[in-house]
Amino acid sequence: MMAAEAGAAVNTLLAYRRDLEGASEELGGRLAEADGAALTRLGAVWLPLARSTVARKASALRRFFGFLAEERLRDDDPSDALPRPGGAQTLPRILDHGEVDALFAVLEQRLADNPTPADLRLSALVELLYGSGLRATELVSLPRHLLRRDQPYAILRGKGGRERLVPISDRARAAVAAYAATLPADAAWLFPSGKAHLSRVRLFQLVRALAGAAGIAPERVSPHVLRHAFATHLLEGGADLRALQSMLGHADIATTQIYTHVDSRRLVELVNQRHPLVDAGRPRS
């Protein structure tokens, strides 16, 4: 159901499988027959875990019991007994402009001195992460000929099978073109590795190594942190929240609104400069 009807991504399906199998193991292999009391005990087992982990596990089980009820495989839905951890939403980790500049300074230095194919690949990867806000999975699985030098956008299929239009900057297109010239003509992927494409784990390692070379603590940087920086810096520059939602591929704008944690001074300046009722010459009553 999750694959065919909800269009869930492979990583989502794997996460659901792990959570359901773990819960079933805790309940002696009788998850489908569990009642409210059993789920309450399961919630107690989860108490030492982080709230975000508990929320994810509970969400997987709610979808599972909802499916069983909808398919009439059981007459009740005991998932109300599952915990609903509250708390404030965690703000995304981001890099400031100076730190992003430091990353690109390292790349520019490498590209200026007889760059290797690996240098060109890393440049293309980082330009697309920070310049277009791609998810790691979307990036590593790009088909070889999806991005073209004369086309300032790409149409991607992201989470849930949803298509979206992603802007590709002039810098990113130039970086991709320079790197793509090193690929075999019959390459199926833009970032091939062995018989498949570059893995998300390897992308993670490459980005952290670049951070270390730029003098930034590697644990602060990941592909997703660069996606967060893309979103936050666009919003700081005055980007429309709906446009940002579309570029990031968020199904719900509430997910995009987390990026409104920008500097309050910047928000005040934006209102004072852009609000249609602002008129410096109008007398105040």
Side-chain angles (χ1 to χ4, degrees), residues 1-199:
M1 181 277 289
M2 290 293 294
E5 297 180 19
V10 172
N11 289 333
T12 301
L13 296 176
L14 292 175
Y16 267 70
R17 176 183 291 276
R18 286 193 300 269
D19 288 337
L20 292 176
E21 288 178 344
S24 182
E25 184 177 349
E26 286 288 346
L27 297 177
R30 302 184 62 82
L31 177 61
E33 295 84 32
D35 57 14
L39 295 186
T40 298
R41 292 195 300 273
L42 186 61
V45 173
W46 293 344
L47 280 177
L49 303 177
R51 282 186 301 218
S52 59
T53 301
V54 175
R56 189 199 71 234
K57 289 178 177 292
S59 176
L61 265 63
R62 287 192 184 92
R63 291 294 291 265
F64 175 67
F65 286 111
F67 169 78
L68 294 181
E70 186 175 338
E71 295 295 317
R72 302 183 185 279
L73 297 174
R74 58 180 294 166
D75 298 328
D76 64 331
D77 181 348
S79 61
D80 282 345
L82 291 166
R84 295 180 180 272
Q89 190 173 22
T90 303
L91 294 179
R93 290 181 296 162
I94 63 165
L95 301 175
D96 61 33
H97 292 276
E99 290 169 324
V100 171
D101 289 343
L103 293 177
F104 280 101
V106 173
L107 288 173
E108 289 168 6
Q109 182 178 9
R110 293 181 183 179
L111 295 178
D113 185 21
N114 193 23
T116 65
D119 294 328
L120 294 171
R121 181 182 68 174
L122 182 59
S123 174
L125 288 167
V126 176
E127 288 283 0
L128 289 170
L129 282 171
Y130 179 67
S132 299
L134 300 187
R135 296 182 177 95
T137 300
E138 294 169 343
L139 177 59
V140 297
S141 61
L142 284 173
R144 166 72 172 80
H145 297 290
L146 181 66
L147 306 184
R148 302 206 309 262
R149 184 70 182 263
D150 61 344
Q151 184 172 290
Y153 63 87
I155 298 176
L156 299 184
R157 187 180 297 276
K159 276 189 175 180
R162 295 183 294 272
E163 287 190 342
R164 76 180 191 278
L165 188 146
V166 177
I168 309 295
S169 70
D170 292 342
R171 283 178 54 119
R173 281 182 286 144
V176 168
Y179 160 66
T182 69
L183 295 177
D186 61 349
W189 309 102
L190 181 58
F191 300 105
S193 179
K195 296 182 179 179
H197 55 69
L198 188 72
S199 70

